[in-house]
Amino acid sequence: MARSYLIAGNWKMHLNAEEARALVKALKAHTPKLPPGVEVLVCPAFTSLEAALEEAKGSPIQVGAQNMYWQEQGAFTGEVSPLMLKSVGVSHVLLGHSERRHVFMEPDDLIQKKVAACFKHGLKPVLCIGETLDERNAGKTLEVLDRQLHTGLAGLKPEDVPLLTVAYEPVWAIGTGVNATPQQAQEAHAHARKRLGELLGAAGLQVKILYGGSVKDDNAKVLLSEKDVDGALVGGAALKAPSFCGIMDAAIALSQ
Ligand code: PGA
């Protein structure tokens, strides 16, 4: 059966405007057209958004932000609002990424406010969830995913559901070179899908669930082959065209 995928690059605090432009250019050259089942998204730092958006214009590459604040404007030094992101033409926003949760100590209720602000302004949130190694070793993985989904999606309306993407990113797999096994990913994704169905009804079952954590061009195919893995959120391997294109190619092959 034909599958559909979203392959997203999280560039984190890398690539200035010029480098961002060059990478988008290389991705466009590799894949001037995408099959209907595959979407590609890149998420540069705020200062590189406009360069990436300009270069991506007219191509199938979508551009998202890595974070935002939930208020529309005001005295919030250092923050960027949904209206500001809308005004430059961003489509998606990564929210609740493990580095936001664990390095910047963002709590579940703040992430929920940001998710709700995305829906209010027609931006597409990519809600990241995932357990730490201690939580996995304590047998709490599914409980953590439940809590992060339940709080992160509180107050969501039925019309918001088509805008939502979820990314399962086990914290222990991010930037470590140790990816979850396809079985571990599938177990977490199947669980998240079941919960999304319970929380959001039938439409919740259709929400794309990306896997993230040490995805590379050589493990993308096995991970993306799992039934409930609908794409990848890629950090390190998204910073160079050959490795990111290899991951895109895996999705393109599996989509047909
Ligand atoms: P990684 O990062 O691919 O470098 O493990 C993934 C992420 O943080 O989204």
Side-chain angles (χ1 to χ4, degrees):
M1 201 183 70
R3 301 271 318 258
S4 64
Y5 293 103
L6 170 60
I7 304 300
N10 173 10
W11 294 355
K12 308 195 181 185
M13 203 170 71
H14 298 285
L15 307 185
N16 64 24
E18 199 187 318
E19 292 160 340
R21 195 185 294 279
L23 181 49
V24 172
K25 198 170 186 178
L27 301 181
K28 277 194 324 193
H30 179 79
T31 325
K33 277 210 193 97
L34 286 168
V38 179
E39 282 184 85
V40 172
L41 170 71
V42 295
C43 300
F46 290 129
T47 47
S48 298
L49 279 174
E50 288 201 75
L53 280 155
E54 236 173 69
E55 190 63 45
K57 217 175 184 160
S59 84
I61 296 168
Q62 302 176 74
V63 179
Q66 297 173 18
N67 187 29
M68 67 173 204
Y69 195 52
W70 59 276
Q71 295 268 22
E72 293 176 9
Q73 58 175 23
F76 303 104
T77 302
E79 295 296 317
V80 168
S81 84
L83 295 179
M84 292 167 176
L85 294 180
K86 281 286 286 192
S87 75
V88 292
V90 155
S91 57
H92 294 69
V93 188
L94 304 182
L95 292 174
H97 186 277
S98 130
E99 287 143 24
R100 299 304 316 172
R101 291 180 190 268
H102 299 287
V103 182
F104 298 98
M105 298 313 200
E106 288 195 9
D108 286 325
D109 59 336
L110 175 61
I111 295 164
Q112 185 275 332
K113 286 196 174 88
K114 295 180 176 196
V115 172
C118 266
F119 292 131
K120 181 169 176 205
H121 296 286
L123 290 161
K124 299 176 176 173
V126 178
L127 173 63
C128 304
I129 59 173
E131 81 288 358
T132 62
L133 189 56
D134 283 351
E135 288 164 339
R136 174 162 283 266
N137 289 340
K140 291 193 174 145
T141 297
L142 303 183
E143 196 183 304
V144 170
L145 302 186
D146 284 350
R147 192 199 76 233
Q148 292 175 338
L149 283 175
H150 197 263
T151 18
L153 300 175
L156 189 147
K157 298 188 210 61
E159 64 267 28
D160 299 332
V161 183
L163 297 179
L164 175 66
T165 298
V166 168
Y168 169 62
E169 297 204 301
V171 179
W172 48 271
I174 296 178
T176 59
V178 181
N179 58 285
T181 64
Q183 295 71 24
Q184 286 171 324
Q186 171 56 27
E187 186 200 13
H189 283 228
H191 181 82
R193 188 167 323 278
K194 191 171 96 200
R195 267 305 163 264
L196 287 166
E198 286 163 9
L199 290 169
L200 311 173
L205 298 171
Q206 307 303 320
V207 169
K208 274 203 169 63
I209 307 175
L210 316 183
Y211 167 77
S214 297
V215 177
K216 308 271 179 256
D217 46 357
D218 61 3
N219 62 17
K221 188 167 171 225
V222 283
L223 288 159
L224 294 171
S225 299
E226 290 297 328
K227 178 169 164 284
D228 289 296
V229 177
D230 305 315
L233 180 53
V234 186
L239 294 174
K240 295 256 173 348
S243 47
F244 194 64
C245 290
I247 299 167
M248 278 162 44
D249 287 345
I252 292 169
L254 288 165
S255 75
Q256 283 156 357

